Amino acid sequence: MLYRGMDRAQLDAAYNNSAAVPERDAIVAGWVARSARVRREYAGRLDLAYGETPRERLDLFLAADPQAPTLVFIHGGYWQMNDKESFAFFAEGLLPLGMNLAVIEYTLAPMARLERIVAEVRRSVRWLAEHLAEYGADPNRLYVAGHSAGGHLTAMTMALPEVRGGIAISGIYDLEPIRLNYLNEKLALDTAEAERNSPVRHLPATAEELAVAYGTRELPELCRQSIEYARAWTGRGSSGTPAAGGRRADHFTILDALARPEGVLTQALLAMLGRPSTAGP
């Protein structure tokens, strides 16, 4: 047995979200179409460079009153896939609630090792804190959210003093099983790198509130990762809200909980901001 009673084939399947959700391609196609519409209809500040390499770019969508909090969204794809253009659809729900949205991109594996990816994401957050005022936004109200690999990267930003709160969605917080399964063919993690970049092994001494979310129809390993990380986070006395982000949500439909104004994760973000709930009775 390779990990928690699983052999290699079982461990591969335990983290293969695409195979577990037959509707995955249709769901992602919906994200792409909605994001294309946002990019057509909103005057976003696109492809802002926060670093020197081609994928160190972000898109910024401002609310009607840009002097507002900004949510930084970090996309998933197991550190190997996807781009920022497919995730502009969060603006549909956030901008009408008076929140700015920044969607960041980062260099993918195998072109970049994981530690470089982490460093790029942290640099993007610092860049926003330094430059948001130039766009009329409040640099002191910067929040971070991410999905899947982006959930991991969200956790890796929580110690930054610029971050006022976070939502980690369906993330990976212990990289040891990733090192041992098919995903490591491109990541090439060794034992030490996996340990250094596992958020559950390096909880910050101080941090702002973090909501750890997952869908109740996720693969069991994804549920376990979120549950154990949330317990470790709150067990250290850090402020957090461990919760299933959506009943009956899978690894992909869980994002509806942040994309819709009434979604449970949108409501968690509003609570962090000290705003009243917009959800119906």
Side-chain angles (χ1 to χ4, degrees):
M1 295 296 100
L2 190 60
Y3 181 81
R4 296 180 67 88
M6 291 178 277
D7 61 22
R8 172 60 187 267
Q10 291 169 322
L11 186 57
D12 285 354
Y15 282 87
N16 193 335
N17 294 301
S18 295
V21 182
E23 303 83 9
R24 180 261 182 198
D25 289 350
I27 294 168
V28 172
W31 297 346
V32 172
R34 291 163 61 192
S35 294
R37 184 168 61 250
V38 165
R39 291 167 65 84
R40 288 194 306 268
E41 296 178 358
Y42 290 88
R45 276 62 169 181
L46 306 180
D47 292 317
L48 301 175
Y50 66 84
E52 298 181 355
T53 60
R55 286 183 62 94
E56 288 180 87
R57 300 290 185 270
L58 61 87
D59 295 339
L60 179 63
F61 300 92
L62 298 172
D65 179 3
Q67 187 65 24
T70 298
L71 180 69
V72 183
F73 184 79
I74 309 167
H75 71 74
Y78 274 144
W79 309 274
Q80 305 170 28
M81 300 178 289
N82 293 327
D83 53 43
K84 60 182 171 56
E85 284 77 12
S86 300
F87 296 90
F89 69 91
F90 288 106
E92 295 174 334
L94 295 177
L95 268 60
L97 293 177
M99 285 181 275
N100 305 321
L101 171 68
V103 187
I104 70 162
E105 194 163 84
Y106 48 88
T107 308
L108 301 175
M111 183 174 291
R113 294 193 69 87
L114 186 59
E115 285 183 331
R116 173 179 161 187
I117 294 170
V118 169
E120 287 183 3
V121 170
R122 288 172 171 165
R123 183 157 52 246
S124 75
V125 173
R126 293 189 180 107
W127 186 94
L128 281 162
E130 292 170 2
H131 294 277
L132 275 173
E134 299 169 15
Y135 300 94
D138 185 349
N140 296 312
R141 291 191 290 171
L142 194 57
Y143 296 79
V144 178
H147 171 243
S148 196
H152 163 266
L153 294 167
T154 294
M156 296 295 283
T157 71
M158 287 303 297
L160 297 178
E162 295 86 355
V163 173
R164 295 292 178 262
I167 302 176
I169 308 166
S170 304
I172 306 297
Y173 309 105
D174 181 356
L175 296 178
E176 181 63 8
I178 305 302
R179 184 183 72 82
L180 297 171
N181 72 16
Y182 75 103
L183 295 164
N184 209 36
E185 293 168 10
K186 290 185 178 179
L187 291 167
L189 293 168
D190 58 29
T191 303
E193 189 177 12
E195 193 279 337
R196 286 194 302 272
N197 291 280
S198 289
V200 74
R201 301 177 188 274
H202 301 281
L203 296 162
T206 60
E208 299 292 342
E209 182 177 356
L210 176 68
V212 180
Y214 62 98
T216 56
R217 292 176 58 197
E218 300 255 11
L219 287 166
E221 270 292 287
L222 272 292
C223 295
R224 181 189 66 80
Q225 288 254 3
S226 287
I227 291 167
E228 292 188 358
Y229 184 59
R231 286 174 179 165
W233 182 272
T234 56
R236 286 282 298 272
S238 300
S239 178
T241 311
R247 295 188 180 92
R248 298 181 298 279
D250 60 41
H251 189 72
F252 301 98
T253 57
I254 182 65
L255 287 189
D256 288 341
L258 184 62
R260 293 181 288 104
E262 72 279 10
V264 65
L265 297 183
T266 308
Q267 299 306 306
L269 178 58
L270 289 173
M272 286 183 194
L273 298 171
R275 292 188 183 178
S277 171
T278 60

